[in-house]
Amino acid sequence: MNSDLDRSSRKSDDPSNSRISHREHYPWATSLAGMHEFVWQRLVRGVADRRSPARHPTLATVSANGLPSARTVVLRAATPATHCLEFHTAVGSEKVAHLQQQPIAAVHIWDATPRLQIRGVGRVSMARGDDVAAVWERIPEASRRAYSAGPVPGSPIDGPDAWVAEPDPTALVVLTLSLDRLDVLHLGEPHRRAVFERGSGWVGTWVVP
Amino acid sequence: MNSDLDRSSRKSDDPSNSRISHREHYPWATSLAGMHEFVWQRLVRGVADRRSPARHPTLATVSANGLPSARTVVLRAATPATHCLEFHTAVGSEKVAHLQQQPIAAVHIWDATPRLQIRGVGRVSMARGDDVAAVWERIPEASRRAYSAGPVPGSPIDGPDAWVAEPDPTALVVLTLSLDRLDVLHLGEPHRRAVFERGSGWVGTWVVP
């Protein structure tokens, strides 16, 4: 990340002004607990509000041959108590194949209004079939096309619309990302960055931005 | 990605209407060449317009122990002729360490207005020192703090502001991502997805979304 992003909000290079600016505009960025709590507020809001940036995180995985891959996912649940995030995908998707080999995934959100980058890493568990029947029941009819028994996403086709979605409950995979680490960067003035880890009870540490 | 995203623009489930909708609203999504050209228009615009989504891609890398990592970067150059993207970073950053071990990176952009997900993969080359002296000269004074001889980003510190940036031309690393593959998903109605590869002259193939 780069200071290019924060010129619009820069008031002064005087550090005392900078601290006032944090207190006034980003009070949550003045303490580790505040940073941590605010991240979860934004994540929980992402589940409820489809216009929120946290609604559409980027999920990064690693392929069987060790290459990175990233795509947008929809945030379906965010549980502060367990530090778990939930996404839904199709069984034939590339990310399912990746996670079968390397279950550790990274999640990334750039939340422009609070000038906040949220990065998380953790292990993904996958559930399917009877275990997620209740989830399937809650998916609106029109959205079920995303979980299809038809050809696997990414298969070459003759024309742009030469495929048919066949909604199939057994094609739904529920991904639960159990976070082990959160790396939070706030591009206030000056930048602030904190790392929170499950192993240390999510207490957090300030780090160099 | 999921059909959750496209309810707002859905007009009808009638496929003939859907095709009209593509022609009217997303003419670039009616051909492979149009998709490819539009992606590069958006990337080039990202370099010039800091409010454009392509200004801030997510760059995914793989750590030495095979774990995924993703962060926001600023798009500094996009060259359609060579299919190269340029980013700047600090020599001590995590992504430089990752790229020294695994030079293949993935880039991801979600461009909401045209309902377009751009995913790219390719090899990153890194340049530093005398080779990038001209780049350093063009970086505004206030932005040079991002390239510091001070402590490495991510180092634990005692308080949120207990660090000093010391702008240092030798800390600047210019990353050039030479794309080998572009995977482009348009969430029109119906969804359309195409893959373009350097090895086949970027002609492109429609694939199942």
Side-chain angles (χ1 to χ4, degrees):
Chain A
M1 188 69 77
N2 195 288
S3 56
D4 162 287
L5 281 171
D6 62 356
R7 272 183 223 146
S8 56
S9 73
R10 179 172 300 157
K11 301 245 166 62
S12 158
D13 279 339
D14 172 2
S16 61
N17 264 4
S18 304
R19 280 191 289 269
I20 290 167
S21 168
H22 267 118
R23 274 206 296 269
E24 281 181 359
H25 300 295
Y26 309 108
W28 49 266
T30 58
S31 71
L32 289 166
M35 291 272 274
H36 188 238
E37 191 185 337
F38 188 73
V39 163
W40 282 98
Q41 281 178 20
R42 301 301 288 180
L43 291 170
V44 167
R45 179 173 166 175
V47 177
D49 173 9
R50 63 181 61 195
R51 295 186 179 279
S52 159
R55 177 71 172 187
H56 297 124
T58 302
L59 185 74
T61 57
V62 179
S63 74
N65 49 356
L67 303 181
S69 186
R71 80 288 288 159
T72 302
V73 288
V74 180
L75 184 60
R76 301 293 180 184
T79 311
T82 55
H83 270 66
C84 285
L85 305 178
E86 183 180 307
F87 316 102
H88 298 169
T89 190
V91 70
S93 69
E94 180 197 68
K95 56 186 158 314
V96 167
H98 290 186
L99 291 166
Q100 281 167 343
Q101 296 280 328
Q102 169 54 281
I104 308 289
V107 68
H108 170 273
I109 294 160
W110 167 241
D111 195 347
T113 307
R115 312 184 62 71
L116 185 70
Q117 177 178 244
I118 303 170
R119 301 167 65 195
V121 178
R123 183 170 293 265
V124 175
S125 59
M126 297 192 271
R128 198 185 156 200
D130 290 345
D131 292 343
V132 301
V135 176
W136 179 263
E137 289 307 313
R138 290 194 298 271
I139 297 175
E141 192 68 30
S143 299
R144 291 182 178 173
R145 298 178 311 158
Y147 316 104
S148 173
V152 166
S155 309
I157 45 180
D158 288 339
D161 303 326
W163 59 286
V164 178
E166 301 167 32
D168 175 5
T170 71
L172 170 67
V173 180
V174 175
L175 308 176
T176 302
L177 169 57
S178 175
L179 292 166
D180 283 319
R181 180 187 167 93
L182 277 167
D183 186 324
V184 183
L185 175 65
H186 170 54
L187 295 191
E189 188 65 24
H191 297 182
R192 287 182 170 183
R193 183 175 170 190
V195 171
F196 303 88
E197 292 183 317
R198 185 181 292 274
S200 54
W202 303 110
V203 173
T205 309
W206 296 108
V207 303
V208 175
Chain B
M1 187 70 77
N2 195 289
S3 56
D4 162 286
L5 280 170
D6 61 358
R7 272 183 223 146
S8 56
S9 74
R10 179 173 299 156
K11 301 246 168 60
S12 158
D13 279 339
D14 173 2
S16 61
N17 265 6
S18 303
R19 280 192 289 270
I20 290 168
S21 167
H22 268 118
R23 273 207 296 270
E24 282 181 1
H25 300 296
Y26 309 107
W28 49 267
T30 58
S31 72
L32 289 166
M35 292 272 273
H36 188 239
E37 191 185 338
F38 188 72
V39 163
W40 282 98
Q41 281 178 20
R42 301 300 287 180
L43 291 170
V44 167
R45 179 173 165 176
V47 177
D49 173 9
R50 64 181 59 195
R51 295 186 178 277
S52 158
R55 177 72 172 186
H56 297 124
T58 302
L59 186 74
T61 57
V62 179
S63 74
N65 49 356
L67 304 182
S69 186
R71 79 289 287 158
T72 302
V73 288
V74 180
L75 184 60
R76 300 294 179 182
T79 311
T82 56
H83 270 65
C84 284
L85 305 178
E86 184 181 306
F87 316 103
H88 298 169
T89 189
V91 69
S93 68
E94 180 198 68
K95 57 186 158 312
V96 167
H98 289 185
L99 291 166
Q100 281 165 343
Q101 297 279 329
Q102 169 53 281
I104 308 288
V107 68
H108 171 271
I109 294 161
W110 168 241
D111 195 347
T113 307
R115 314 183 62 70
L116 186 70
Q117 177 179 242
I118 302 170
R119 301 167 65 196
V121 177
R123 184 170 292 265
V124 176
S125 60
M126 296 192 272
R128 198 186 157 200
D130 290 345
D131 293 342
V132 301
V135 176
W136 179 262
E137 288 308 314
R138 289 194 298 271
I139 297 174
E141 193 69 29
S143 299
R144 291 181 176 173
R145 298 179 311 159
Y147 316 104
S148 172
V152 167
S155 310
I157 45 181
D158 288 339
D161 303 327
W163 60 286
V164 178
E166 301 167 32
D168 175 5
T170 71
L172 170 67
V173 179
V174 175
L175 307 177
T176 302
L177 169 57
S178 175
L179 292 167
D180 284 319
R181 179 186 167 94
L182 277 167
D183 186 324
V184 183
L185 175 65
H186 170 54
L187 296 190
E189 189 66 24
H191 297 182
R192 287 182 170 181
R193 183 176 171 191
V195 171
F196 303 89
E197 291 182 317
R198 186 180 291 274
S200 55
W202 303 109
V203 173
T205 309
W206 296 109
V207 302
V208 175

